[in-house]
Amino acid sequence: MSDLTKPATVLALDAGQTGVKTRLTRPDAAPVERLFAGVRTDQPLLPQLAAVTREAASGVPLDALAAGVSGLTSVEHDAGELRALLHDSAPGRVLLAHDSVTSYLGTLGDQHGVVVASGTGSIILAVGPAGVARVDGWGYLMGDAGSGYWLGRAALDAVMRAHDGRGPATALTEVVSSRWPELEDAYVQLQSDPAKVSVIAWFAEAVAARAATDEVAARLCRDAAEELALSVVTALRRAGADGAPVVSAIGGVFRGSLVREAFEEAVRAVHPGVRFEAPHGTGLDGAAALADLPAAHPLSALVSSAG
């Protein structure tokens, strides 16, 4: 990281739909971490971040506010607007980035490599000699290949194929039937469920748990691993990575041993010298790191700054 002096009082935000984690760091006190309700995608984002900032700062003047935000769009990627919303107590600097950037910084720091995050969704970010490359993270309707949603959706498809006689029998049928005893009514109930994305993603854990004994579940895990490996290899190529890149895989999908093993095997087939590293920190650590990210670092171009 930079050897520049870090701002004395920093509020870091790691904002997602399931929760907003905050860390207030002051030179004269121990860091204070809090958890707030997640951001709402059906409401303007920046006012929500401003409200969390006011509550988390508790009246303490901030030298810097550094936020990593899930689903940050180009329209909302404006640190100046966020700083203006905090006009009554505007921080000296405001730094705003997509959470893929802060996830990378929290996971690998400022070194070159690639971070693949696969939970409900999936997104891959690589940093190399040619710059920064983002792959996927396009949401459940247009992307997120190999994600928890992707696995859950594939599991439901496999169950209904087995039900129709179009596919092999699978132990996943029992899992789906435990939620919807009448399988032929399941699709109607699911389509009308406002939480359908998280409901579908929930089945990914059942797929991983049955991969050792059910061939259908095993195939789905291998398919997910191949998708994630393809995204990683693509990101590394676009970032100009060398033959021994650093790869860190995070997120709930990688808790499945078959997914992780098949993923590593597929990446190693293209990059035999690859090094797989455990995360060095968290997304909240990455948000805090925005405050002293060197201006020359490739990721700086993806950070909106004001002040």
Side-chain angles (χ1 to χ4, degrees), residues 273-298:
V274 64
R275 290 185 291 128
F276 295 101
E277 289 192 8
H280 300 179
T282 67
L284 189 56
D285 294 324
L290 289 176
D292 68 336
L293 184 67
H297 193 281

Side-chain angles (χ1 to χ4, degrees), residues 168-215:
T170 170
L172 295 171
T173 297
E174 181 181 354
V175 179
V176 176
S177 296
S178 68
R179 186 175 187 99
W180 299 295
E182 295 294 334
L183 277 181
E184 295 188 4
D185 294 339
Y187 78 101
V188 176
Q189 296 178 46
L190 185 58
Q191 287 174 177
S192 61
D193 190 336
K196 56 181 170 290
V197 173
S198 58
V199 170
I200 292 171
W202 177 83
F203 288 103
E205 185 175 348
V207 176
R210 287 157 179 78
T213 56
D214 184 82
E215 180 51 38

Side-chain angles (χ1 to χ4, degrees), residues 123-139:
I123 186 167
I124 294 84
L125 198 69
V127 178
V132 180
R134 168 181 168 171
V135 172
D136 214 340
W138 307 129

Side-chain angles (χ1 to χ4, degrees), residues 247-296:
V247 176
S248 190
I250 61 177
V253 168
F254 287 105
R255 287 199 291 268
S257 59
L258 180 55
V259 172
R260 180 174 287 276
E261 291 166 6
F263 164 78
E264 293 184 356
E265 180 181 356
V267 174
R268 194 174 286 113
V270 180
H271 293 280
V274 64
R275 290 185 291 128
F276 295 101
E277 289 192 8
H280 300 179
T282 67
L284 189 56
D285 294 324
L290 289 176
D292 68 336
L293 184 67

